[in-house]
Amino acid sequence: MRETSPDPDDSFRRNTIKKTVSVMLIILGLVTITYGWQMRSTVELVQIIKTKTVIEENQEDKNTKLRNAGIGAAIGAAALGTTAAIVGGIGLVAMGTGIGAPAGAGLIAAASALGAAAGGISGAAIGEKETVIEKVPRQIEYKETVINPKYTIPQYSLVLGAGIALIVIGGFSLKRK
């Protein structure tokens, strides 16, 4: 068998291919590191629907003064008017004879008006005016946006590590001749 001597062109081609592969590994490592760094900063927005309780105030005015004044006026007018009709009268004495005449309609009306006024004032004084504030809880739904990382630390660290490993392998193979 005959031994062939090494071809200088063949050795040059091999060195060129090795250097090209080494440079390609370094470039691939840089691209992988860039992708891993991009993975690290990628986030996704998640909308969460939450519910919270809000206290609302309902205000209601209760006024019994007007109602009590009306009731008092009716009772006062009836009571004083009836009393005036029963008790009231005009007595005349003429020549030893006594004649009694009931009070006139005007006097009964005046007594009724006086009773109505007194009853109305008394009823209004007894009545109350108050404001009732009722607190009612109410549920309100709202959306909250949360920012979550898209990739976990081990995921993007693995990609960064692979890129660094490619650069190191490419660098060592470039160094070797």
Side-chain angles (χ1 to χ4, degrees), residues 17-173:
I17 290 174
K18 282 183 183 181
K19 285 182 183 180
T20 304
V21 168
S22 298
V23 170
M24 288 175 67
L25 283 174
I26 291 172
I27 292 172
L28 185 61
L30 289 173
V31 169
T32 306
I33 285 176
T34 305
Y35 183 72
W37 196 258
Q38 186 65 30
M39 283 175 64
R40 180 186 154 290
S41 19
T42 303
V43 294
E44 57 187 357
L45 301 175
V46 178
Q47 284 192 346
I48 300 172
I49 298 176
K50 291 188 174 183
T51 306
K52 72 177 177 179
T53 302
V54 176
I55 303 295
E56 288 185 350
E57 292 185 356
N58 292 336
Q59 184 173 346
E60 183 181 338
D61 293 330
K62 291 185 177 182
N63 191 353
T64 59
K65 287 186 176 285
L66 187 60
R67 181 195 66 176
N68 288 359
I71 294 170
I75 292 173
L80 223 52
T82 304
T83 304
I86 293 172
V87 174
I90 300 171
L92 297 174
V93 177
M95 292 179 236
T97 316
I99 300 172
L107 290 175
I108 294 173
S112 292
L114 184 62
I121 292 171
S122 300
I126 293 172
E128 296 176 348
K129 182 178 182 181
E130 68 176 298
T131 301
V132 177
I133 298 175
E134 182 182 24
K135 294 185 179 186
V136 179
R138 197 176 115 208
Q139 298 289 330
I140 295 179
E141 286 187 353
Y142 64 98
K143 292 181 182 179
E144 187 175 293
T145 303
V146 179
I147 299 173
N148 288 336
K150 190 167 185 175
Y151 300 102
T152 63
I153 293 173
Q155 287 173 331
Y156 69 78
S157 296
L158 186 65
V159 174
L160 287 172
I164 292 170
L166 286 171
I167 291 174
V168 169
I169 290 171
F172 279 138
S173 63

